[in-house]
Amino acid sequence: MSLFSNIADYAESFLRSFFFRWNFRKHKIRILEQIDSVGIGSLPIIILISAFLGLVTTVQLSYQLLGILPRYFLGAVVGRMVLIELGPILTGLIVSGRCASAMAAEIGTMRVTEQIDALESMAINPYQFLGFPRIMGTLISLPILTVFSEFVAIYTGGLYAHTFLNVPLSVYNYGLVRNFYHRDLFGGLLKSILFSFAISTSGCYFGFKVRGGAKEVGAAATYAVVTACVLILILDFIVALLVFG
């Protein structure tokens, strides 16, 4: 019963934040602040981890495909793995760890310091004022971060293949282009859009749910990250089943 109650509360929080008279002009500044926080703020760690993702993927595949497939397949396999799976899910997990906890802590702190009560006393809907910009900011930022991550990972892998495996970049790119399918790109972007909802709604839901003090704020941040990560893995499986199954 508690599980269903929590799911109902979660859905209500999402609906009250997102599906209630969209007003981009009214929330423009706060949406831009969230794009700066989620998108620009996450960019350095996304670049670093995506670069190592490309390196590790290329090293592993070059070992596994040795003597089995021609070398130009290295670009094809790295590209498809990054576009379909590794790029979206790694970006989603990084952003969830960094931003879902921050959203829960920010809103939870506003709850315990009665700033949300003050908004309600001024007839301001806190879900619209605090939740909508965070959802929109994440929805705009995460697909862009995912594309950026995929580009960095694929071409870091290409540089490694060229430098250490003697695979010319033209051969790597040939395999990449020859085996590119629009469905791979579409599936990865669809995942990133769904992941953005999982991250932002988890952060907002557990932030609004805080009652008590600093200890409850910390617990809310932890729950937000764990829930976002679990939802990302569930959504990843569902999209894989529907698009690639």
Side-chain angles (χ1 to χ4, degrees):
M1 186 66 183
S2 176
L3 175 63
F4 290 114
S5 175
N6 286 332
I7 292 174
D9 289 345
Y10 190 104
E12 182 189 8
S13 172
F14 173 64
L15 293 173
R16 292 176 70 178
S17 300
F18 196 67
F19 289 107
F20 182 77
R21 290 183 296 182
W22 291 12
N23 191 334
F24 290 94
R25 182 175 298 178
K26 183 178 177 182
H27 300 289
K28 181 175 66 177
I29 300 299
R30 282 186 290 281
I31 291 173
L32 289 174
E33 287 174 352
Q34 292 304 314
I35 292 173
D36 179 62
S37 173
V38 176
I40 306 298
S42 301
L43 199 53
I45 189 67
I46 292 291
I47 291 174
L48 180 66
I49 293 181
S50 298
F52 281 100
L53 171 70
L55 294 173
V56 171
T57 304
T58 307
V59 171
Q60 291 285 346
L61 286 175
S62 66
Y63 169 71
Q64 294 179 39
L65 299 179
L66 185 66
I68 300 176
L69 293 173
R71 285 184 170 178
Y72 73 82
F73 271 100
L74 191 60
V77 179
V78 170
R80 296 196 74 183
M81 284 184 66
V82 169
L83 288 176
I84 293 172
E85 186 65 30
L86 298 178
I89 199 163
L90 190 71
T91 307
L93 292 175
I94 293 169
V95 174
S96 71
R98 184 178 175 276
C99 299
S101 58
M103 292 178 189
E106 288 167 3
I107 296 176
T109 302
M110 293 183 72
R111 172 68 78 187
V112 299
T113 55
E114 300 183 349
Q115 294 179 60
I116 292 179
D117 295 335
L119 289 175
E120 291 173 334
S121 69
M122 292 186 288
I124 296 174
N125 184 336
Y127 290 93
Q128 283 285 295
F129 189 80
L130 300 173
F132 180 72
R134 284 169 170 77
I135 293 174
M136 285 306 305
T138 311
L139 181 60
I140 294 169
S141 301
L142 195 62
I144 297 173
L145 284 173
T146 300
V147 171
F148 199 85
S149 167
E150 291 168 348
F151 181 84
V152 171
I154 288 172
Y155 280 98
T156 304
L159 288 175
Y160 178 86
H162 174 67
T163 306
F164 295 100
L165 303 175
N166 297 319
V167 178
L169 281 177
S170 58
V171 173
Y172 184 88
N173 288 334
Y174 172 74
L176 185 65
V177 173
R178 180 179 173 180
N179 292 276
F180 173 79
Y181 297 94
H182 291 95
R183 187 170 64 171
D184 298 346
L185 183 62
F186 166 76
L189 289 176
L190 177 61
K191 286 182 182 181
S192 69
I193 291 170
L194 296 175
F195 294 170
S196 69
F197 284 112
I199 294 165
S200 55
T201 54
S202 296
C204 294
Y205 169 68
F206 285 102
F208 282 119
K209 201 179 175 186
V210 168
R211 296 290 186 277
K215 183 179 178 182
E216 284 72 19
V217 173
T222 303
Y223 288 136
V225 174
V226 172
T227 303
C229 291
V230 171
L231 288 176
I232 283 172
L233 295 176
I234 293 172
L235 291 169
D236 183 49
F237 170 70
I238 293 172
V239 174
L241 197 63
L242 294 177
V243 179
F244 306 111

